[in-house]
Amino acid sequence: MDRDTTGSAKGGVLPETLALVSEELSRLRYGAIQLIVHDGKVMQIDVTERKRLTD
């Protein structure tokens, strides 16, 4: 799941960006969240979810 968003390096990360990261983090059980930054701005949030299988 990829989401496009922006954040400012000078004023810190925008509240909308933090809210998106927080939302994804709360839903993620196993996996990774990667922020893509360009010119000091968060441009993309990549979420990689892993599914753990039990025997």
Side-chain angles (χ1 to χ4, degrees):
M1 170 186 316
D2 294 344
R3 295 185 190 257
D4 291 339
T5 187
T6 59
S8 171
K10 293 178 184 175
V13 178
L14 294 175
E16 297 86 10
T17 302
L18 291 176
L20 280 173
V21 172
S22 178
E23 178 183 327
E24 295 297 338
L25 185 57
S26 68
R27 291 192 296 191
L28 189 63
R29 184 158 170 148
Y30 297 102
I33 296 176
Q34 181 179 25
L35 302 180
I36 307 301
V37 178
H38 182 71
D39 288 335
K41 294 181 180 180
V42 176
M43 300 304 292
Q44 183 173 315
I45 300 170
D46 292 334
V47 179
T48 304
E49 185 174 358
R50 309 271 187 218
K51 297 289 185 182
R52 300 282 173 122
L53 305 176
T54 59
D55 294 334

Short mmCIF file of all heavy atoms in Angstrom, two decimals:
data_model
loop_
_atom_site.label_atom_id
_atom_site.label_comp_id
_atom_site.label_asym_id
_atom_site.label_seq_id
_atom_site.Cartn_x
_atom_site.Cartn_y
_atom_site.Cartn_z
N MET A 1 0.84 -1.16 0.00
CA MET A 1 0.00 0.00 0.00
C MET A 1 0.89 1.23 0.00
O MET A 1 1.70 1.42 0.88
CB MET A 1 -0.88 -0.04 1.26
CG MET A 1 -1.64 1.21 1.52
SD MET A 1 -2.52 1.24 3.07
CE MET A 1 -3.25 -0.34 3.16
N ASP A 2 0.74 2.03 -1.01
CA ASP A 2 1.51 3.27 -1.10
C ASP A 2 0.57 4.44 -0.93
O ASP A 2 -0.52 4.44 -1.44
CB ASP A 2 2.20 3.38 -2.46
CG ASP A 2 3.26 2.33 -2.66
OD1 ASP A 2 3.65 1.71 -1.66
OD2 ASP A 2 3.67 2.12 -3.79
N ARG A 3 1.03 5.46 -0.19
CA ARG A 3 0.25 6.67 -0.02
C ARG A 3 1.16 7.85 -0.29
O ARG A 3 2.28 7.89 0.19
CB ARG A 3 -0.28 6.79 1.41
CG ARG A 3 -1.26 5.71 1.76
CD ARG A 3 -1.80 5.99 3.14
NE ARG A 3 -2.57 4.88 3.61
CZ ARG A 3 -3.89 4.86 3.64
NH1 ARG A 3 -4.57 5.88 3.24
NH2 ARG A 3 -4.52 3.83 4.09
N ASP A 4 0.67 8.81 -1.06
CA ASP A 4 1.43 10.02 -1.31
C ASP A 4 1.03 11.07 -0.29
O ASP A 4 -0.14 11.24 0.00
CB ASP A 4 1.16 10.55 -2.72
CG ASP A 4 1.76 9.64 -3.78
OD1 ASP A 4 2.66 8.88 -3.43
OD2 ASP A 4 1.32 9.71 -4.93
N THR A 5 1.99 11.77 0.25
CA THR A 5 1.74 12.82 1.24
C THR A 5 2.94 13.75 1.23
O THR A 5 3.93 13.48 0.58
CB THR A 5 1.48 12.21 2.63
OG1 THR A 5 1.08 13.25 3.50
CG2 THR A 5 2.69 11.50 3.18
N THR A 6 2.86 14.84 1.95
CA THR A 6 4.00 15.74 2.02
C THR A 6 4.28 16.10 3.46
O THR A 6 3.41 16.06 4.31
CB THR A 6 3.75 17.03 1.22
OG1 THR A 6 2.59 17.68 1.76
CG2 THR A 6 3.56 16.76 -0.25
N GLY A 7 5.51 16.48 3.71
CA GLY A 7 5.94 16.95 5.01
C GLY A 7 7.04 17.96 4.82
O GLY A 7 7.76 17.91 3.85
N SER A 8 7.16 18.91 5.70
CA SER A 8 8.14 19.98 5.55
C SER A 8 9.29 19.78 6.51
O SER A 8 9.09 19.56 7.69
CB SER A 8 7.47 21.33 5.82
OG SER A 8 8.42 22.35 5.89
N ALA A 9 10.52 19.88 6.00
CA ALA A 9 11.70 19.74 6.86
C ALA A 9 11.86 20.95 7.76
O ALA A 9 12.29 20.84 8.89
CB ALA A 9 12.94 19.54 6.01
N LYS A 10 11.52 22.14 7.24
CA LYS A 10 11.71 23.36 8.02
C LYS A 10 10.75 23.42 9.20
O LYS A 10 11.13 23.79 10.29
CB LYS A 10 11.52 24.58 7.13
CG LYS A 10 12.59 24.72 6.08
CD LYS A 10 12.35 25.92 5.18
CE LYS A 10 13.39 25.97 4.09
NZ LYS A 10 13.12 27.04 3.15
N GLY A 11 9.50 23.11 8.97
CA GLY A 11 8.49 23.18 10.04
C GLY A 11 8.24 21.85 10.70
O GLY A 11 7.33 21.71 11.47
N GLY A 12 9.04 20.85 10.39
CA GLY A 12 8.81 19.52 10.91
C GLY A 12 7.84 18.77 10.01
O GLY A 12 7.39 19.28 8.99
N VAL A 13 7.50 17.56 10.39
CA VAL A 13 6.58 16.75 9.60
C VAL A 13 5.16 17.24 9.85
O VAL A 13 4.77 17.52 10.98
CB VAL A 13 6.73 15.26 9.99
CG1 VAL A 13 5.74 14.40 9.21
CG2 VAL A 13 8.15 14.78 9.73
N LEU A 14 4.39 17.34 8.78
CA LEU A 14 3.01 17.81 8.89
C LEU A 14 2.17 16.85 9.72
O LEU A 14 2.38 15.64 9.68
CB LEU A 14 2.40 17.94 7.50
CG LEU A 14 3.00 19.02 6.59
CD1 LEU A 14 2.37 18.94 5.22
CD2 LEU A 14 2.79 20.39 7.19
N PRO A 15 1.20 17.38 10.47
CA PRO A 15 0.33 16.52 11.29
C PRO A 15 -0.38 15.44 10.47
O PRO A 15 -0.59 14.33 10.96
CB PRO A 15 -0.67 17.50 11.90
CG PRO A 15 0.01 18.81 11.89
CD PRO A 15 0.90 18.80 10.67
N GLU A 16 -0.75 15.76 9.22
CA GLU A 16 -1.41 14.77 8.37
C GLU A 16 -0.49 13.58 8.08
O GLU A 16 -0.93 12.44 8.06
CB GLU A 16 -1.86 15.39 7.04
CG GLU A 16 -2.88 16.50 7.19
CD GLU A 16 -2.26 17.87 7.43
OE1 GLU A 16 -1.02 18.02 7.30
OE2 GLU A 16 -3.01 18.79 7.76
N THR A 17 0.79 13.88 7.88
CA THR A 17 1.77 12.83 7.63
C THR A 17 1.94 11.95 8.86
O THR A 17 1.94 10.72 8.76
CB THR A 17 3.12 13.43 7.22
OG1 THR A 17 2.93 14.24 6.05
CG2 THR A 17 4.15 12.36 6.92
N LEU A 18 2.05 12.59 10.01
CA LEU A 18 2.17 11.82 11.26
C LEU A 18 0.93 10.98 11.52
O LEU A 18 1.03 9.84 11.99
CB LEU A 18 2.42 12.77 12.43
CG LEU A 18 3.77 13.47 12.45
CD1 LEU A 18 3.84 14.45 13.61
CD2 LEU A 18 4.90 12.47 12.53
N ALA A 19 -0.23 11.51 11.19
CA ALA A 19 -1.48 10.76 11.39
C ALA A 19 -1.51 9.53 10.48
O ALA A 19 -1.93 8.45 10.91
CB ALA A 19 -2.68 11.66 11.12
N LEU A 20 -1.06 9.68 9.23
CA LEU A 20 -1.02 8.53 8.32
C LEU A 20 -0.06 7.45 8.81
O LEU A 20 -0.38 6.26 8.80
CB LEU A 20 -0.60 8.98 6.92
CG LEU A 20 -1.67 9.61 6.04
CD1 LEU A 20 -1.05 10.14 4.76
CD2 LEU A 20 -2.74 8.59 5.72
N VAL A 21 1.13 7.87 9.25
CA VAL A 21 2.11 6.91 9.76
C VAL A 21 1.56 6.21 11.00
O VAL A 21 1.65 4.99 11.14
CB VAL A 21 3.46 7.60 10.06
CG1 VAL A 21 4.40 6.63 10.77
CG2 VAL A 21 4.10 8.12 8.78
N SER A 22 0.95 6.97 11.89
CA SER A 22 0.38 6.40 13.11
C SER A 22 -0.73 5.40 12.80
O SER A 22 -0.81 4.32 13.39
CB SER A 22 -0.15 7.52 14.00
OG SER A 22 -0.73 7.00 15.15
N GLU A 23 -1.58 5.75 11.83
CA GLU A 23 -2.68 4.85 11.44
C GLU A 23 -2.15 3.54 10.88
O GLU A 23 -2.60 2.46 11.25
CB GLU A 23 -3.54 5.56 10.39
CG GLU A 23 -4.67 4.73 9.85
CD GLU A 23 -5.43 5.46 8.76
OE1 GLU A 23 -5.53 6.69 8.81
OE2 GLU A 23 -5.92 4.76 7.84
N GLU A 24 -1.17 3.64 9.98
CA GLU A 24 -0.58 2.43 9.40
C GLU A 24 0.13 1.59 10.45
O GLU A 24 0.04 0.37 10.45
CB GLU A 24 0.37 2.79 8.26
CG GLU A 24 -0.30 3.43 7.06
CD GLU A 24 -1.31 2.52 6.37
OE1 GLU A 24 -1.23 1.29 6.51
OE2 GLU A 24 -2.17 3.07 5.67
N LEU A 25 0.82 2.25 11.36
CA LEU A 25 1.54 1.54 12.41
C LEU A 25 0.58 0.80 13.34
O LEU A 25 0.85 -0.32 13.76
CB LEU A 25 2.39 2.53 13.21
CG LEU A 25 3.30 1.95 14.28
CD1 LEU A 25 4.25 0.92 13.69
CD2 LEU A 25 4.08 3.05 14.97
N SER A 26 -0.56 1.40 13.63
CA SER A 26 -1.52 0.76 14.54
C SER A 26 -2.16 -0.48 13.90
O SER A 26 -2.56 -1.40 14.61
CB SER A 26 -2.61 1.75 14.95
OG SER A 26 -3.44 2.09 13.87
N ARG A 27 -2.24 -0.51 12.56
CA ARG A 27 -2.82 -1.66 11.87
C ARG A 27 -1.80 -2.75 11.58
O ARG A 27 -2.16 -3.90 11.33
CB ARG A 27 -3.45 -1.22 10.55
CG ARG A 27 -4.69 -0.39 10.75
CD ARG A 27 -5.44 -0.22 9.48
NE ARG A 27 -4.64 0.52 8.51
CZ ARG A 27 -5.13 0.98 7.38
NH1 ARG A 27 -6.37 0.77 7.06
NH2 ARG A 27 -4.35 1.65 6.56
N LEU A 28 -0.52 -2.42 11.60
CA LEU A 28 0.54 -3.34 11.20
C LEU A 28 0.93 -4.26 12.35
O LEU A 28 1.25 -3.80 13.44
CB LEU A 28 1.76 -2.54 10.73
CG LEU A 28 2.89 -3.30 10.08
CD1 LEU A 28 2.41 -3.96 8.79
CD2 LEU A 28 4.04 -2.36 9.79
N ARG A 29 0.87 -5.56 12.10
CA ARG A 29 1.27 -6.51 13.14
C ARG A 29 2.71 -6.98 12.91
O ARG A 29 3.51 -7.03 13.82
CB ARG A 29 0.31 -7.69 13.14
CG ARG A 29 0.61 -8.65 14.24
CD ARG A 29 -0.55 -9.48 14.57
NE ARG A 29 -0.07 -10.51 15.47
CZ ARG A 29 -0.77 -11.04 16.41
NH1 ARG A 29 -2.00 -10.66 16.58
NH2 ARG A 29 -0.27 -11.97 17.17
N TYR A 30 3.02 -7.36 11.68
CA TYR A 30 4.38 -7.74 11.30
C TYR A 30 4.70 -7.05 9.98
O TYR A 30 3.91 -7.11 9.05
CB TYR A 30 4.53 -9.26 11.08
CG TYR A 30 4.27 -10.10 12.30
CD1 TYR A 30 3.07 -10.77 12.46
CD2 TYR A 30 5.23 -10.21 13.29
CE1 TYR A 30 2.82 -11.54 13.57
CE2 TYR A 30 5.00 -10.99 14.42
CZ TYR A 30 3.79 -11.65 14.55
OH TYR A 30 3.54 -12.41 15.65
N GLY A 31 5.84 -6.40 9.88
CA GLY A 31 6.20 -5.78 8.62
C GLY A 31 7.09 -4.57 8.81
O GLY A 31 7.80 -4.44 9.81
N ALA A 32 7.01 -3.65 7.83
CA ALA A 32 7.86 -2.47 7.83
C ALA A 32 7.12 -1.28 7.26
O ALA A 32 6.26 -1.44 6.39
CB ALA A 32 9.12 -2.74 7.01
N ILE A 33 7.47 -0.09 7.74
CA ILE A 33 6.97 1.16 7.19
C ILE A 33 8.19 1.95 6.74
O ILE A 33 9.12 2.15 7.52
CB ILE A 33 6.16 1.96 8.22
CG1 ILE A 33 4.91 1.18 8.62
CG2 ILE A 33 5.78 3.33 7.66
CD1 ILE A 33 4.08 1.84 9.70
N GLN A 34 8.19 2.38 5.49
CA GLN A 34 9.32 3.11 4.93
C GLN A 34 8.82 4.47 4.45
O GLN A 34 7.82 4.56 3.74
CB GLN A 34 9.90 2.33 3.75
CG GLN A 34 11.09 2.99 3.12
CD GLN A 34 11.65 2.16 1.97
OE1 GLN A 34 10.95 1.36 1.35
NE2 GLN A 34 12.92 2.35 1.69
N LEU A 35 9.51 5.54 4.87
CA LEU A 35 9.19 6.89 4.42
C LEU A 35 10.15 7.27 3.31
O LEU A 35 11.36 7.14 3.46
CB LEU A 35 9.31 7.89 5.57
CG LEU A 35 8.45 7.62 6.80
CD1 LEU A 35 8.70 8.70 7.85
CD2 LEU A 35 6.99 7.54 6.44
N ILE A 36 9.61 7.75 2.20
CA ILE A 36 10.42 8.21 1.07
C ILE A 36 10.46 9.74 1.17
O ILE A 36 9.42 10.39 1.17
CB ILE A 36 9.82 7.78 -0.28
CG1 ILE A 36 9.58 6.26 -0.30
CG2 ILE A 36 10.71 8.23 -1.43
CD1 ILE A 36 10.81 5.41 -0.07
N VAL A 37 11.68 10.29 1.24
CA VAL A 37 11.87 11.73 1.42
C VAL A 37 12.60 12.29 0.20
O VAL A 37 13.56 11.70 -0.28
CB VAL A 37 12.69 12.01 2.71
CG1 VAL A 37 12.93 13.49 2.88
CG2 VAL A 37 11.99 11.42 3.92
N HIS A 38 12.12 13.43 -0.30
CA HIS A 38 12.74 14.11 -1.42
C HIS A 38 12.79 15.60 -1.12
O HIS A 38 11.76 16.20 -0.79
CB HIS A 38 11.94 13.85 -2.70
CG HIS A 38 12.54 14.48 -3.92
ND1 HIS A 38 13.70 14.01 -4.48
CD2 HIS A 38 12.15 15.52 -4.66
CE1 HIS A 38 13.99 14.74 -5.53
NE2 HIS A 38 13.07 15.68 -5.66
N ASP A 39 13.96 16.18 -1.17
CA ASP A 39 14.16 17.60 -0.86
C ASP A 39 13.62 17.96 0.52
O ASP A 39 12.99 19.00 0.72
CB ASP A 39 13.51 18.50 -1.92
CG ASP A 39 14.26 18.49 -3.23
OD1 ASP A 39 15.48 18.20 -3.21
OD2 ASP A 39 13.64 18.76 -4.27
N GLY A 40 13.81 17.07 1.48
CA GLY A 40 13.40 17.34 2.86
C GLY A 40 11.92 17.17 3.13
O GLY A 40 11.45 17.53 4.20
N LYS A 41 11.18 16.62 2.16
CA LYS A 41 9.74 16.42 2.34
C LYS A 41 9.39 14.95 2.22
O LYS A 41 9.93 14.24 1.36
CB LYS A 41 8.95 17.20 1.28
CG LYS A 41 9.09 18.69 1.41
CD LYS A 41 8.26 19.39 0.35
CE LYS A 41 8.41 20.89 0.47
NZ LYS A 41 7.61 21.59 -0.56
N VAL A 42 8.49 14.48 3.05
CA VAL A 42 8.00 13.11 2.95
C VAL A 42 7.10 13.06 1.72
O VAL A 42 6.11 13.78 1.62
CB VAL A 42 7.21 12.69 4.20
CG1 VAL A 42 6.64 11.29 4.03
CG2 VAL A 42 8.10 12.75 5.44
N MET A 43 7.49 12.23 0.76
CA MET A 43 6.75 12.14 -0.50
C MET A 43 5.89 10.89 -0.60
O MET A 43 4.93 10.86 -1.34
CB MET A 43 7.73 12.16 -1.69
CG MET A 43 8.58 13.42 -1.76
SD MET A 43 7.63 14.94 -1.81
CE MET A 43 6.85 14.81 -3.40
N GLN A 44 6.27 9.86 0.14
CA GLN A 44 5.58 8.58 0.00
C GLN A 44 5.76 7.77 1.27
O GLN A 44 6.78 7.85 1.93
CB GLN A 44 6.18 7.84 -1.20
CG GLN A 44 5.55 6.53 -1.55
CD GLN A 44 6.13 5.99 -2.84
OE1 GLN A 44 6.30 6.72 -3.82
NE2 GLN A 44 6.48 4.73 -2.83
N ILE A 45 4.74 6.98 1.58
CA ILE A 45 4.80 6.05 2.71
C ILE A 45 4.56 4.66 2.12
O ILE A 45 3.52 4.41 1.52
CB ILE A 45 3.74 6.37 3.78
CG1 ILE A 45 3.95 7.78 4.33
CG2 ILE A 45 3.79 5.32 4.90
CD1 ILE A 45 2.82 8.25 5.22
N ASP A 46 5.54 3.77 2.28
CA ASP A 46 5.40 2.38 1.82
C ASP A 46 5.20 1.50 3.04
O ASP A 46 5.97 1.56 4.00
CB ASP A 46 6.66 1.91 1.08
CG ASP A 46 6.87 2.63 -0.24
OD1 ASP A 46 5.87 3.08 -0.83
OD2 ASP A 46 8.02 2.72 -0.68
N VAL A 47 4.18 0.66 2.98
CA VAL A 47 3.90 -0.28 4.06
C VAL A 47 4.03 -1.68 3.49
O VAL A 47 3.37 -2.03 2.52
CB VAL A 47 2.49 -0.07 4.65
CG1 VAL A 47 2.21 -1.08 5.75
CG2 VAL A 47 2.33 1.35 5.16
N THR A 48 4.90 -2.49 4.08
CA THR A 48 5.08 -3.88 3.70
C THR A 48 4.59 -4.73 4.86
O THR A 48 5.14 -4.68 5.96
CB THR A 48 6.56 -4.20 3.43
OG1 THR A 48 7.04 -3.30 2.43
CG2 THR A 48 6.74 -5.63 2.97
N GLU A 49 3.52 -5.48 4.63
CA GLU A 49 2.95 -6.30 5.68
C GLU A 49 3.34 -7.76 5.48
O GLU A 49 3.31 -8.28 4.36
CB GLU A 49 1.43 -6.18 5.68
CG GLU A 49 0.77 -6.92 6.82
CD GLU A 49 -0.71 -6.68 6.89
OE1 GLU A 49 -1.24 -5.90 6.08
OE2 GLU A 49 -1.36 -7.28 7.75
N ARG A 50 3.71 -8.42 6.55
CA ARG A 50 4.05 -9.83 6.53
C ARG A 50 2.94 -10.61 7.23
O ARG A 50 2.40 -10.16 8.22
CB ARG A 50 5.37 -10.09 7.29
CG ARG A 50 6.50 -9.20 6.87
CD ARG A 50 7.24 -9.81 5.74
NE ARG A 50 8.43 -8.99 5.48
CZ ARG A 50 8.88 -8.76 4.27
NH1 ARG A 50 8.27 -9.25 3.25
NH2 ARG A 50 9.94 -8.02 4.09
N LYS A 51 2.62 -11.75 6.68
CA LYS A 51 1.63 -12.63 7.29
C LYS A 51 2.35 -13.82 7.89
O LYS A 51 3.10 -14.50 7.21
CB LYS A 51 0.61 -13.11 6.25
CG LYS A 51 -0.21 -12.02 5.63
CD LYS A 51 -1.18 -11.44 6.60
CE LYS A 51 -2.06 -10.44 5.90
NZ LYS A 51 -3.00 -9.80 6.76
N ARG A 52 2.17 -14.01 9.18
CA ARG A 52 2.79 -15.16 9.85
C ARG A 52 1.82 -16.33 9.86
O ARG A 52 0.66 -16.19 10.27
CB ARG A 52 3.16 -14.80 11.30
CG ARG A 52 4.13 -13.65 11.42
CD ARG A 52 5.54 -14.12 11.12
NE ARG A 52 6.46 -12.99 11.06
CZ ARG A 52 7.53 -12.88 11.83
NH1 ARG A 52 7.83 -13.80 12.72
NH2 ARG A 52 8.33 -11.85 11.70
N LEU A 53 2.27 -17.47 9.38
CA LEU A 53 1.46 -18.67 9.34
C LEU A 53 1.84 -19.59 10.49
O LEU A 53 3.02 -19.75 10.79
CB LEU A 53 1.64 -19.40 8.00
CG LEU A 53 1.38 -18.55 6.75
CD1 LEU A 53 1.71 -19.35 5.49
CD2 LEU A 53 -0.05 -18.06 6.72
N THR A 54 0.84 -20.17 11.10
CA THR A 54 1.11 -21.12 12.18
C THR A 54 0.85 -22.54 11.68
O THR A 54 0.09 -22.75 10.74
CB THR A 54 0.23 -20.82 13.40
OG1 THR A 54 -1.14 -20.91 13.02
CG2 THR A 54 0.51 -19.44 13.95
N ASP A 55 1.50 -23.49 12.32
CA ASP A 55 1.34 -24.91 11.92
C ASP A 55 0.00 -25.43 12.34
O ASP A 55 -0.60 -25.13 13.25
CB ASP A 55 2.43 -25.77 12.55
CG ASP A 55 3.80 -25.38 12.00
OD1 ASP A 55 3.85 -24.86 10.88
OD2 ASP A 55 4.80 -25.60 12.69
#
